Structure formats: C-alpha cells, structure tokens
Amino acid sequence: MLLWVSLLALASVSGQLATAPKPVISIQPPWTTAFQGESVLLTCNGVPINSPQETTWFYENQGSQTSSVTPGNTRVVQETGNYQCQHSGSSLSGSVHLIFSAASLILQAPLSVFEGDTMVLRCLRRPGSALKNTTMYKNQEAQAPLCDGSDLRVHGAMLRDNGWYHCKADKESCCSVVSNPVKIQVQELFPRPRLTASPSQPPEGSPVTLTCETQLPPQRSDVQLWFCFFREGQALGSGCSSSPELQIPAMWSEDAGSYWCQAQTVTLSVMKESLRSYIYVQRAIPSVQIHTRPPKESVFEGQELVLVCSVRGVPGPISVSWYKRPKLHLATEIPLSQETEFRISTVKSSDAGKYYCVANSIRSTEVTIHMKVPVSRPVLTRMPRGSRALEGDEMTLRCEAQRGSLPIQFRFFHEDALLKETTTVTSWRASSFHFSLTAEHSGNYYCTANNGLGPQRSAAVTLSVHVPVSRPVLTHMPRGSRALEGDEMTLRCEAQRGSLPIQFRFFHEDALLKETTVTSWRASSFHFSLTAEHSGNYYCTANNGLGPQRSAAVTLSVIVPASQPVLTLRTPGAQALVGDTVELHCEAQTGSPPILYRFYHDGVTLGNSSAPSGGGVSFNLSLTAEHSGNYSCEADNGLGAQRSEVVPLSVTVPASRPILTLRAPGAQALVGDTVELHCEAQTGSPPILYRFYHDGVTLGNSSAPSGGGVSFNLSLTAEHSGNYSCEADNGLGAQCSEVVTLSVTVPASRPILTLRAPRAQALVGDTVELHCEAQTGSPPILYHFYHDGVTLRNSSAPSGGGVSFNLSLTAEHSGNYSCEADNGVGAQRSEVVTLSITGLTGSRGGHVTTGVTGVLLSLVGLAAVVLLFYYWLPGRAGGRPACDASSSSSHSDPQEPTYHNVPAWLEMQPVYSNVNPKEGDVVYSEVCRIQGRNKCAAGTTARLPEDKDSSVIYSQVKVTSTSGSRSQLSASSAPHR
C-alpha cells in the first residue's frame, strides 16, 4: 500500500522538553585549570525574563562557604574551589570546580565534553620553567608526544574517549614533571528519541501527528537537531527537517505498520533512532476516495501521474470507472480504465482538470489536477550589499526563482546549517530572511527553492561580519587598590571579542601612557615602577576601526605614610567656657587616604573619624568642667600611626551660686562672740572674688586664687543682727548667695522688781502688782517671781520688756521678794524688795517696848497740832502744800504707793527720808496732805479713800536699813484720822 503524507511547517523547535529554569555556568578561558595569578571569567547563563539584573554566587572550598551578589551575570575569580550561581526566581546551577595551580606543568581541559564535540586537551608549561619533551597520557598509557604549543584534539568525542589524562615533561638535567590528572567523562548529547502518535489508534481516513521527542542538555541548548520519520524502512515525507513533528493527513488500514524516528545533528556527528512503534488503523464505513501519486499539489509537466481509487467497505467484485471533467464541461468516462489505478505516463498541460472514480455505483470525491512548472535555480542576494558588514547590523537575505509553479518552499543555509524555511503561496517567487548580525554570522550563505520536484540550490554568497571590539577589561598586578611606592605594576587591557587587529591605549587621568596594536591576541600589557604621582584612575581603550571602547576605571592608590598630624582647638571666644562647642581639628599634611584620625584627652580615646579623601577631620565637643586637660590626635593610614603634639585646654567654669555659712561658737550668736562668715561656690574656675554684705552694705571682700571658699570674721555687737549674703565672681558674671539671717542674742541685764500697791501702806486684802523688767536683753525673756526664795510664778515677754504679776495680799505675803530674767543666755536675779503688810495683831517691828507707849501718845498730840496747823495754813494762804523736791519722783503713780528696789545709781529721789536710820523707832519727818487732784512731788504718795478724811496721821514709822541699797519698809499700826 502507498502512504500519502504531508509535512507541515511548524514553529522551529529543538525538540528538547521544557524544564524548570536552571542557570548554567560557562567559563572563559574555557579551562578548569589555570596558573595561580590568572583569572577566569564566570558567566551565569539562563537569566529568567523580567528578573533583576543581578546574580548570587556561591563559593565553597574545604568546608568554607561564602556567598556574594554581583550586578549582571558575570564574575572574575582567582581562587580554587567550587562555584555555583543563582538568579532571582531560578534554581541553583550545577557546581563548577576550578583549580588555580602553583605547579610548573598543568593539564587544561574543557568544563564539559559531549558526544560529537571536538575535545581539546592542552598541556601548558609555566613561563620560565625549563621543561621539554611533553607527552600526553591516557589511563597511564602514552598517547603521542606534543610539540611546543600544540594541543591534543579528539574529533567527534565518544564514550570510548572517557578516562584519566595527564601529561609529563622532562626537566633539564633532573627529572620528569607530571601535571595534574584530569578525568574526561564524555556526556550524552541527547537521549534516544521516543516516537509518539496522536491519536495512537486512528480511525481510517483520520489525520495522525507523529512526534519525535528528545532533550538537549542546558550546556548545548543551542545545538540544532534534525528529525526523520520512517515506516517499514521507508522514509516519510520529504526527508529530514528541523521540526520534531510529522503530520499525516489521512491514515488507512494499509498504512498500519511499524514506525520509528531518528534525531541527528546537522553535521551528522550524532544520530540516534527511537524504538519501533506499531500503529493500528481502525476500519471505517464503506467509502470510495481518490488519491494521486505524486500528491495533487506536486504534479509537474513531463512527470508520471497515477490516480488511485481507494475502495473501503465495499463488497466485491468491484467495478471501477474513471471520469474527467475538463474545466466547466460535463464529466466524461475515460475508456479502458477499469482498474483501481489510472496512469498518465507523461503529464501535459491538457491533462489538467477534475477527476473522480465510481466503484460499484459509489462515487468518490473529485480531485483537481493542476500542472506545475519545476522551479528554476534561485538567486541569493543580500542587503546591504558588500562583502563586509558590522555586528549588530540588520541583514536581509533574499532568495528568488525566476520561474516555477507555486507554492515554492525556500530554505536559507549558513555553512550548510539551515537558518530558515519558508513556503510562499503568493504570486512572488521569492522569500526573504531578516536577522541581526553577530560574529558567528561570517561565512558562506546559499538558498534552495523547491516546489515539489526537488530543491534547486543558489550560488554561494560570502559574508564577512566585522565585529566591533567589546568593552575591554583593565586589570593590574599585583591586585588590590593600594600599592607601595617603588612596587612594579603591570596593567593588562583585554577585550573578550572583536575583529583583529586591535589598537590598545593605556591612560592615567586621561593622559596617554602607552599605545600598542595586536594582531593575534585581544590583550596588551604595560609595565612601570610606582611613584607617589601614580595614584589615580587608570583606564584603557580598545579600537579595531569601528570606534574605541573604554574600560571601566581602575583606581590605584600609591600609599604614602601619614605625617605627624597637627591638632588645632577652635573655640568661639578667647576663653573656653562650659557649654561652648569646641572644634578639635586634626590634619596630617601628607599621607595617602583614607586616613583614620583618633582624638585623645589625657590619654583616653574620645572618638575617631576617617578622611576618605585625605585632609583633616574635625571633632566637636560640648564643654564641661571635666574637659580641661591635655589633648592630642593620631593619624593612621595603615602604615604606622603618627601622634600630634599635646595641646592643653583650660575650660573656664562660671562661678555657681555661692553658699553662705555663719559659724558661731555656740548654738546662739551672742554679743561679743566672733562669728565666721564662710562663702563658697561649689563650681567655678579660680580665681574667685568673694564679697560679703550685711543688709545690702558691703562688709568686705576676699579672693580665692585656687578656688574653694573664703571666710570673714566678725566680732558681734547688738547691731550685727540682720540679713547677710555673699557674692562670687570669677569674671563670668557675679552670683549672689541666698540671704542668711543672723540674730545676735543680748544677755538679759539684771532686772528691776517694782511692787505697786494701792496705798502707801500695804494692807491685807490689797492687790499688789509685782513688775519685773530687764532694761536690755534679746527676747523672748522668761521672768520668774520669788517670795522668800520660793517661786511664785513665771511669765514670758516674747517681744522683750517686762512682765507683771498681781498678788492679793494676806498676812503671809509679808517678806522678801525678788525676780529673775532669763533669755537662754543665763539668768539674772533682781535686788530683794521687802514687803511688810499692815493689819496684823501686834507689832511686826519687834522693836517697840511698852515703855515707849507714853512717849508716843504725847507725840500724837503734838503731831495732831502740827497737822492741823499744816492744813490750815495753806488754806489761809490759798495755796497747797508742797513736798520737798528731794522726795519727788516722776515715775510714781500718784494713786498708788510704789516700792522700789532700784539700785542707788538709778534712784531719782527717796520715797521716804529716814530720820534716824540707825535706830529702831522711826517717825516720818514729813507728811503730805492730799486733797482732790493735787499731786505730790515726792517719790511716794498715798491715795486715801474719797469718803474718808484726807488727813492721815501715822502713829509710828520704823525704817530698818540694811547694807547696800536694800531697804525695808514696815508699818506697825493703821493710820488714825
């Protein structure tokens, strides 16, 4: 049976299955082993769409693990270990193990080797090592000697090339040197394909899609695979294509059979077949269909045309008739055509038309036959024209056939690799292919045109893509951004890609250092010895005639040790005051940045600050009293610290409010005491001038040159009571203390006791006022009254002065009275005053004898005469009696008799003048008569009852005098009228 198939152009795919995004690391140079000091560029391929342009790198070596993040997807490394990468949203890449060897001989091998690859092994000697006669070994067996600079190349690597490789070289006059071993494991490029059919058991007449499934590794995702399909050993379709799918428009029962597919590389270096799969076709209802061979779309003039009448489900015997309908005419039966096949050996244009067949009265569908003209040889042109083009340019390839029936299939090839396949069904016999040029696009191009009779190939067109130089990378050895003056420095400028020759230029701060042109390697070096002037930014440019590319700048700092710094203290005024902000500025005149500055106060670190660009730094300090002292700073740029000279700072502290203390000898300040006034400010820079004040008047001043307080002594008088304060001034404003009140206590003077009776003679029943008063003494004064040494009462005078005490007299109240004044500084006792109370039975005198009675009676008579005459005479004269001036007292109350114990030097006039103070019996020498409101000038007067006779006659007066100023007044009898 004949199988009719049609290959449909699908989206170009490589056939690999979809997998989760997993990045793959590639290396440049492509060796896993390098000498120490060399660099390897890692690239993390497979960046997910819309992911951030940064990559996380993981490094592991001997159990130590680190990670870092770089912008973009590249990283330059120089350390032995395992490397992995990861993009945001992706899984972790596989591990890449790199070795940076210190050996003199190393074997370099690619990161991975796949089936069909050209495997390159390079045995490399360290420059300067005296090695020769290099030989490559596989599994300890010598392979072939290597010439200097040659590599071992294995084309079309296969599994048999697996094994351990190393190389050996002879050292002059010594021994052999063996390189590091490398294990080569050739990996499968893609697994054996698997053929699937959809549907797996198609009904008769239904279409079927065959799929050849396999998968390329991520490292070789750019490899182009071709797919071929077979049935019972016969190729299906028009041959192999880049599509992994083949569509069969209709399957019939005779199409059932064994199918398989084949996947292969374009170069045919790797080919793999799937297992056989049997496809069953399910029978359908009776039908008659017509098919053509070749397909009706591919009938060309001069070819043979076979029409097949396919009958299914119709019971035999079968009779077939053929009919043709040319254009619009009625169909006519074709004679002598009773077979199921109708052949036209040589097709002519007149054979075009519509055909159908009838089997046992069952009519098939019509088939229209169009005559096709074979395609002519196509012509390939490109725009823009010329043999050279630039990378990045847009290139258009146009393939055109002058004649040929449509549709025409066009294919574009680059070095026999299919680039694109198109089918045109328009009136134009041409197709175009647009792409952006890369370096890989250099080479020979051609195209083919095929409208079913076989492809026609165009003449080749050569294209040379001139690649602009990539942005170069500037590196320097030794590495690091800092170097010492006198070191040897090597700058290396390298471009990863770009058409040769390339001109390299080295610049320092835009000044050209060197210019070279290379024709074989995309790198150039520049050597020089460092001086201080070599600090700065370096860059290089690479130019291959398409415009210079500039590298990133590399900063080189030639380190100069820091000089001894200078410390400067900057204050707002001439003096540094508490609360001021002082700026400490430290600066080393020379020294490579960055410079770390440290500030010290009396050897203790205050803080530190860095000057990334050199120069000095400042440190601000809000001053307190503790900030006085010595300051210094230190400059350190990693080549030894330098200490500045010491700068002293004296912080002036304003005097605080002083405290005034009064220090007396005792609890009270007494007149005559020496009181110490001490004034002291707790804080304040010396010298401090102190001033003392009493009620606002300056007492004196004194200075404290070294700080602290001062004292001022005062010998107290009564006038020193009052408010005291002091003032402290150190030139930053005077401060006044709180006011301290001083009360100078004056001891109470000896009090005076005065007895005030209602009459001249104290009688039983009278009320006598005892008044005690000290003339001087600080209040309060406590007064005590005594009768014959027994306390009668006490009373206080809070504001000073005297106090009084009333006594209702009885006979027992006769006796000696005194009082005492006490204000806490010592009690003072008055003079004793004797009170004699009249009205007792008998004489209190004890000196009157019965023998004198007669004399007294005679005297009474005489006294009466004298008294009558005395009162009569002034009445006759219209005047009033006058007392002797010597007995008058301005302090006595004319209504009451008063008894004084006033000391002799204070008495104005005696109340009574004693006639005979030395004898026991005494009579008054003068008697005053009181009438109406007349007053007596004498010191003592007696007020008589108003309803009584104003004349009083004392029968007897006796005065007993004692030593000193103490006197006793006694009355032995009541007065007589």
Side-chain angles (χ1 to χ4, degrees), residues 738-760:
E738 298 282 347
V739 172
V740 177
T741 301
L742 175 64
S743 177
V744 180
T745 303
V746 180
S749 62
R750 191 173 190 184
I752 299 174
L753 177 63
T754 306
L755 276 62
R756 296 171 182 168
R759 65 193 82 252

Side-chain angles (χ1 to χ4, degrees), residues 833-865:
V833 176
T834 302
L835 175 63
S836 179
I837 300 174
T838 303
L840 301 177
T841 57
S843 175
R844 294 288 306 269
H847 302 285
V848 182
T849 62
T850 56
V852 188
T853 303
V855 179
L856 291 176
L857 291 175
S858 62
L859 290 176
V860 168
L862 179 58
V865 175

Side-chain angles (χ1 to χ4, degrees), residues 662-790:
L662 274 61
R663 300 169 182 166
Q668 289 181 313
L670 307 179
V671 170
D673 284 351
T674 297
V675 172
E676 178 189 357
L677 284 74
H678 184 78
C679 187
E680 184 171 358
Q682 297 301 315
T683 60
S685 299
I688 303 176
L689 179 64
Y690 292 94
R691 297 183 183 90
F692 295 86
Y693 298 92
H694 174 218
D695 291 334
V697 178
T698 303
L699 288 176
N701 59 65
S702 181
S703 178
S706 303
V710 298
S711 297
F712 180 79
N713 293 329
L714 197 63
S715 183
L716 296 179
T717 65
E719 291 75 16
H720 285 136
S721 292
N723 293 324
Y724 288 81
S725 64
C726 68
E727 188 179 77
D729 188 0
N730 65 346
L732 301 177
Q735 296 290 327
C736 192
S737 71
E738 298 282 347
V739 172
V740 177
T741 301
L742 175 64
S743 177
V744 180
T745 303
V746 180
S749 62
R750 191 173 190 184
I752 299 174
L753 177 63
T754 306
L755 276 62
R756 296 171 182 168
R759 65 193 82 252
Q761 180 63 44
L763 302 180
V764 171
D766 286 347
T767 299
V768 173
E769 178 187 359
L770 286 76
H771 181 79
C772 186
E773 183 172 358
Q775 297 301 316
T776 60
S778 299
I781 303 175
L782 180 63
Y783 291 94
H784 301 272
F785 294 88
Y786 299 93
H787 175 218
D788 291 334
V790 177

Side-chain angles (χ1 to χ4, degrees), residues 445-462:
Y445 290 81
Y446 65 91
C447 68
T448 62
N450 188 357
N451 63 351
L453 193 58
Q456 295 293 321
R457 176 171 170 167
S458 71
V461 173
T462 301

Side-chain angles (χ1 to χ4, degrees), residues 186-252:
V186 179
Q187 302 179 53
E188 189 178 48
L189 181 61
F190 56 89
R192 185 175 191 173
R194 184 170 67 94
L195 178 67
T196 60
S198 179
S200 59
Q201 294 185 4
E204 276 190 322
S206 64
V208 171
T209 300
L210 301 180
T211 303
C212 193
E213 296 179 349
T214 188
Q215 183 177 1
L216 289 168
Q219 297 92 326
R220 294 292 187 270
S221 59
D222 57 342
V223 172
Q224 180 70 50
L225 294 182
W226 282 59
F227 300 91
C228 309
F229 296 87
F230 301 90
R231 173 186 175 274
E232 302 293 349
Q234 297 295 321
L236 301 178
S238 58
C240 298
S241 71
S242 60
S243 173
E245 293 184 354
L246 176 68
Q247 191 173 61
I248 302 174
M251 289 285 287
W252 306 101

Side-chain angles (χ1 to χ4, degrees), residues 938-962:
T940 303
T941 61
R943 186 180 67 179
L944 299 178
E946 296 180 358
D947 57 344
K948 302 295 181 177
D949 195 309
S950 62
S951 297
V952 178
I953 298 177
Y954 292 88
S955 61
Q956 183 180 20
V957 177
K958 181 178 180 180
V959 178
T960 302
S961 299
T962 62

